Amino acid sequence: MEKYEKILKYQFDSYCKKVIKHAAYRLLRDNKKRTDNEVSMDLLLDFNRDISIFDFEGEFLLDELLKLDKRSIEILIAYYVYGMKCAEIAKILKTSSQNVSYLKNKAIDRLKIRLMDKKV
C-alpha cells in the first residue's frame, strides 16, 4: 500500500508541475502580447496634437477623447486597443465589471453626443 501511495504522490506532483508550467507559459504569452501593444497613458494624455496626421473626423475624435476623464480613457483604450474584457479591466482597476461596463458605455455616449454636436 505504501508503494501505491508513493506512486500517487509522484503522479500528483507531476500533474501539479505541468499545470503550473502551462499557467506560467500562458501568463508570459499574454503579458508579451499586452506589452507589445502597450502605450503609456502619460504619453497619450500628453500627446502632441499634430492634427496633420489625422483625417478631419480623427481630429474631432482625438480632441473629444482627450476631454474625457483619465479613468474613462483608460477603460476605452484597454477595451478597444488591448481587447481586454470588462472583467479583466475591473480586476486592474479594483472595481466591478458592471461598473467598468457602465463607465465604458457612458464614455461612448458622451463621445457620440459631442461628435454629433461638432458635425452639425
Side-chain angles (χ1 to χ4, degrees):
M1 194 64 158
E2 229 177 85
K3 187 176 182 182
Y4 178 71
E5 288 175 0
K6 228 179 196 181
I7 291 171
L8 280 179
K9 180 183 175 191
Y10 289 135
Q11 287 176 340
F12 182 71
D13 287 347
S14 174
Y15 172 77
C16 289
K17 288 176 184 175
K18 286 179 185 178
V19 169
I20 291 170
K21 178 181 164 184
H22 289 290
Y25 285 145
R26 190 174 54 249
L27 285 172
L28 287 172
R29 183 191 66 223
D30 292 346
N31 191 34
K32 180 163 177 20
K33 283 182 188 176
R34 191 165 287 147
T35 55
D36 287 346
N37 297 321
E38 201 166 74
V39 176
S40 170
M41 287 303 298
D42 294 330
L43 288 176
L44 290 173
L45 294 176
D46 295 335
F47 181 70
N48 181 7
R49 297 181 187 193
D50 182 11
I51 304 300
S52 63
I53 62 172
F54 294 103
D55 61 350
F56 193 66
E57 293 174 12
E59 173 188 346
F60 287 144
L61 179 61
L62 180 63
D63 283 341
E64 295 305 323
L65 184 65
L66 291 173
K67 288 179 185 175
L68 295 173
D69 58 296
K70 185 175 179 178
R71 190 170 189 145
S72 296
I73 295 172
E74 289 173 348
I75 291 171
L76 290 176
I77 290 174
Y79 189 82
Y80 290 106
V81 176
Y82 297 136
M84 296 173 69
K85 296 178 182 169
C86 289
E88 295 171 319
I89 300 168
K91 282 182 185 176
I92 293 170
L93 296 178
K94 295 180 175 67
T95 187
S96 68
S97 59
Q98 292 87 357
N99 188 33
V100 170
S101 178
Y102 171 76
L103 292 172
K104 176 183 68 80
N105 291 333
K106 187 175 161 185
I108 291 170
D109 289 342
R110 278 187 272 156
L111 282 174
K112 281 181 189 176
I113 291 168
R114 290 178 182 169
L115 289 173
M116 290 293 198
D117 289 344
K118 286 213 175 195
K119 287 224 179 214
V120 174

